[in-house]
Amino acid sequence: MEKKNRVRYITCGVANPDEPISNFRLIAGCTFGYIHAEDALRVELPPDLKLTQSKWDRYSTTDDPRTLRQLGAVPVVKVDGKWKRMPELWPAHQPHQWHEVLREEKRLYGTLSPCGYLPLERYQEYLRSRRKEEAV
């Protein structure tokens, strides 16, 4: 049986497609609960790419010189609790700009909830529930 490629995520604010993956901290999917990410670059790692696990933090690094473009990095965004690929976001926009693009072009609004981004109506519900919680 063929092994499935490992997946890692990059959550920095600036990432150029022709930059080597060795310039980034690589986060496993199981770590997202600890860092509360709602968007990231998703990279499928080929079997020959070697990772070094950080001894102190929840990320890996690599010395591999391949670029994000060569490895097929693609933006993913958590929308209403589900991760969705959104290749149109990058490299047209840097990761630190995605929240603006999502709001202006897709009418999605970021939250601090496990739902991630929400469409306007759900976002307004989210804000109402947060206000009620704060009032208590």
Side-chain angles (χ1 to χ4, degrees):
M1 183 172 10
E2 188 176 320
K3 260 187 160 180
K4 204 174 184 185
N5 283 351
R6 299 162 295 166
V7 174
R8 292 295 183 272
Y9 298 89
I10 298 170
T11 58
C12 70
V14 176
N16 296 310
D18 296 316
E19 226 175 326
I21 194 166
S22 58
N23 287 1
F24 301 96
R25 292 179 177 179
L26 306 171
I27 302 167
C30 61
T31 304
F32 270 5
Y34 297 99
I35 63 169
H36 188 73
E38 55 190 26
D39 54 44
L41 279 170
R42 181 182 190 275
V43 185
E44 283 193 34
L45 305 179
D48 66 332
L49 193 144
K50 291 181 176 61
L51 292 175
T52 303
Q53 181 67 40
S54 168
K55 292 180 183 178
W56 301 278
D57 290 316
R58 296 177 179 261
Y59 66 86
S60 301
T61 57
T62 184
D63 292 327
D64 196 290
R66 287 176 276 193
T67 66
L68 297 178
R69 185 187 313 272
Q70 289 170 321
L71 293 168
V74 64
V76 290
V77 177
K78 195 173 199 180
V79 178
D80 213 355
K82 295 184 176 125
W83 288 98
K84 297 185 179 200
R85 291 175 186 243
M86 294 195 178
E88 66 275 14
L89 289 176
W90 183 80
H93 307 282
Q94 285 294 325
H96 73 274
Q97 299 169 313
W98 294 352
H99 68 281
E100 291 176 38
V101 174
L102 290 167
R103 186 181 63 243
E104 292 170 7
E105 294 180 15
K106 297 190 179 286
R107 300 296 182 238
L108 294 171
Y109 299 82
T111 69
L112 296 176
S113 78
C115 292
Y117 288 87
L118 295 171
L120 182 58
E121 187 175 309
R122 293 258 301 118
Y123 179 69
Q124 290 170 334
E125 290 171 18
Y126 165 77
L127 290 178
R128 282 191 293 272
S129 71
R130 295 292 296 159
R131 287 185 191 117
K132 285 179 185 175
E133 288 174 17
E134 290 174 2
V136 173

